[in-house]
Amino acid sequence: MDFWPEFLASSWGKEFVAGGFGGIAGIMAGYPLDSVRVRQQSSPSGSAFTILKNVAATEGPFALYRGMAAPLASVTFQNAMVFQIYAILSRGFDSSSSSTEPPSYKGVALGGVGAGAIQSLMLSPIELIKIRLQLQTRVQHDHIERGPLSVAKNILRTEGWRGLYRGLTITALRDAPSHGFYFWTYEFMREKLHPGCRTSGQESFNTMLVAGGLAGVASWVCCYPLDVVKTRLQAQTPTSTVKYNGIVDCLRKSVQKDGYSVLWRGLGTAVSRAFVVNGAIFTAYETALRVLFNNNGCTNTNDNQKTLQTDNAI
């Protein structure tokens, strides 16, 4: 009965809840563009504007939010897991620095790689379900699945557990380096925009928004071709006309049919979404963190951020 009050009284609990709010805000802000990106990657042609206009006209604007329940339901735990694993690994890979100093850029990058690889175990089936829902109107189905649970049950019934984890390898290959770039870019840019902030924790709100947005852009650009392959593999069903026998086969067939430009199809949409999403994440995260600390009678948010950094280093 006393778990939640004690949990929310701890800095880890506040960070967990604030991270959940940030993740929810990011999904709601960027999900329409994510739906457009997935359709661009899986279709032979069509600009983002054309797809957006056609979906809104033929299916209604809410079709752009189809499949959002799956990532939305898991985002709190996913965000908390990623950031906590990153905090632990970034220190573990940089044992030479003290707990009062920020980890080196090497530790930051390696911690991000490890966090991205581990989170792919949970993210892969979630993204599989999301992609299947987002692409329902583009594939002929005997019936329309109504939500993520219906899709998951259908996958387990027709493809088994192996089908639910289709694309796990390519998800890990994408997320490990992309998270390394993400955290490294964020730490590097916040220090460049506000020198000394990695030590003091006193960067401005605008610095966090810009650094977070640029980090999101960098993480997508570095691994985007892998995301195109992942989308095509996970969109494949037992009734699909095009069959891929793995990552290399999917890459080869995609390039043979559409040229090398297919590996960058939808990049503009993804980059735009990345900046918007990470701006929303850091805005919601900071706002929630300040509210939670102020409710406990704390007013110095810089001191609170230092406390979080110290706790994460333990």
Side-chain angles (χ1 to χ4, degrees), residues 17 22 46 79 178 181 208:
V17 173
N79 268 27
S178 69
F181 272 98
M208 297 187 70

Side-chain angles (χ1 to χ4, degrees), residues 119-183:
Q119 78 131 16
S120 63
L121 293 172
M122 183 182 71
L123 187 63
S124 181
I126 293 172
E127 290 215 342
L128 173 69
I129 293 169
K130 174 181 72 70
I131 287 171
R132 296 284 179 90
L133 282 168
Q134 287 174 322
L135 295 178
Q136 276 193 125
T137 58
R138 303 196 65 83
V139 181
Q140 296 299 322
H141 289 272
D142 294 333
H143 67 281
I144 298 296
E145 303 291 352
R146 297 299 180 184
L149 289 179
S150 177
V151 173
K153 290 178 181 178
N154 183 58
I155 293 172
L156 288 173
R157 184 176 63 254
T158 59
E159 304 174 54
W161 284 98
R162 185 176 181 179
L164 191 63
Y165 276 88
R166 183 191 301 275
L168 173 61
T169 302
I170 190 68
T171 301
L173 289 174
R174 179 200 68 173
D175 285 359
S178 69
H179 276 69
F181 272 98
Y182 176 82
F183 285 109

Side-chain angles (χ1 to χ4, degrees), residues 1 14 17 22 33-34 38-39 58 61 95 113 121 131 135 152 197 200 204-205 208 216 237 241 244 267 272 281 285:
M1 294 296 292
K14 293 181 178 67
V17 173
L33 287 176
D34 185 66
V38 168
R39 293 188 182 221
T58 60
S95 57
V113 169
L121 293 172
I131 287 171
L135 295 178
C197 70
S200 66
S204 67
F205 198 61
M208 297 187 70
T237 67
T241 55
Y244 302 117
L267 177 62
S272 301
I281 286 175
Y285 176 81

Side-chain angles (χ1 to χ4, degrees), residues 214-295:
L214 293 176
V217 170
S219 68
W220 273 102
V221 171
C222 74
C223 300
Y224 193 77
L226 293 176
D227 187 67
V228 174
V229 174
K230 184 189 80 71
T231 295
R232 294 191 167 210
L233 282 173
Q234 292 189 318
Q236 181 177 259
T237 67
T239 59
S240 297
T241 55
V242 179
K243 296 291 185 181
Y244 302 117
N245 297 318
I247 298 172
V248 176
D249 185 59
C250 178
L251 179 64
R252 180 177 57 83
K253 288 180 178 178
S254 297
V255 171
Q256 283 180 348
K257 181 179 179 181
D258 300 318
Y260 284 100
S261 62
V262 70
L263 299 177
W264 301 100
R265 183 178 293 161
L267 177 62
T269 305
V271 167
S272 301
R273 171 186 170 274
F275 202 95
V276 171
V277 165
N278 283 278
I281 286 175
F282 280 98
T283 299
Y285 176 81
E286 277 298 306
T287 302
L289 206 59
R290 290 171 184 175
V291 169
L292 290 170
F293 274 110
N294 287 337
N295 285 341

